[in-house]
Amino acid sequence: MNSLTYPRKYRLVTKAEFKSVFDNAQKISQKHLLVLYKPNQYLYSRLGLVVAKRFANKAVSRNRIKRVLRESFRHSFENLKGMDIIIIARYQCDTLTKHKLREGIDKLWEKLKTHS
């Protein structure tokens, strides 16, 4: 995957794809982020993001969180093979700086590599 793109095939898009992960997921978490994951039948990972209005009530905040998470996924993509992943933003996630948010998700990617 080109480091500047995020093609549709690397995304969880449909309601059924999200439901499949929610129903059969393993999880890892930290204070501000929860990662649900399960193996898929592809040679690459797919990402879905959930940033609720009640935890980040401004669209600007929600979009910033998603942008940082997608960027981190693109950088960790090569090490995460064959998984469907959903990242859920938790309480006060919108108060984190970009740097702190990136640190947090990068730590979760490291945990995920050891679990898979």
Side-chain angles (χ1 to χ4, degrees), residues 73-113:
F73 176 72
R74 283 193 297 265
H75 287 273
S76 300
F77 181 77
E78 294 300 320
N79 300 319
L80 303 168
K81 301 269 188 217
M83 283 190 272
D84 285 343
I85 302 165
I86 295 177
I87 303 173
I88 302 173
R90 288 180 160 175
Y91 181 68
Q92 292 186 332
C93 191
D94 61 332
T95 63
L96 296 175
T97 64
K98 284 183 185 179
H99 181 70
K100 288 288 185 188
L101 185 59
R102 181 66 188 260
E103 274 182 6
I105 192 60
D106 287 344
K107 287 178 185 173
L108 289 173
W109 293 141
E110 289 300 319
K111 278 189 194 177
L112 190 56
K113 288 177 208 171

Side-chain angles (χ1 to χ4, degrees), residues 12-92:
L12 294 175
V13 179
T14 67
K15 188 175 181 179
E17 291 170 341
F18 272 85
K19 184 174 178 357
S20 169
V21 177
F22 280 121
D23 289 347
N24 305 307
Q26 295 177 304
K27 52 181 115 168
I28 55 175
S29 66
Q30 58 158 219
K31 183 176 181 181
H32 299 289
L33 297 169
L34 171 67
V35 176
L36 304 175
Y37 65 96
K38 77 173 195 89
N40 67 25
Q41 68 271 22
Y42 304 110
L43 297 175
Y44 53 86
S45 290
R46 300 184 302 167
L47 178 69
L49 300 171
V50 178
V51 183
K53 278 186 183 178
R54 71 178 188 180
F55 296 139
N57 59 357
K58 293 183 180 177
V60 172
S61 299
R62 290 191 302 276
N63 291 334
R64 181 182 59 85
I65 291 166
K66 290 189 275 189
R67 195 168 41 250
V68 170
L69 296 176
R70 282 193 304 264
E71 178 187 354
S72 178
F73 176 72
R74 283 193 297 265
H75 287 273
S76 300
F77 181 77
E78 294 300 320
N79 300 319
L80 303 168
K81 301 269 188 217
M83 283 190 272
D84 285 343
I85 302 165
I86 295 177
I87 303 173
I88 302 173
R90 288 180 160 175
Y91 181 68
Q92 292 186 332

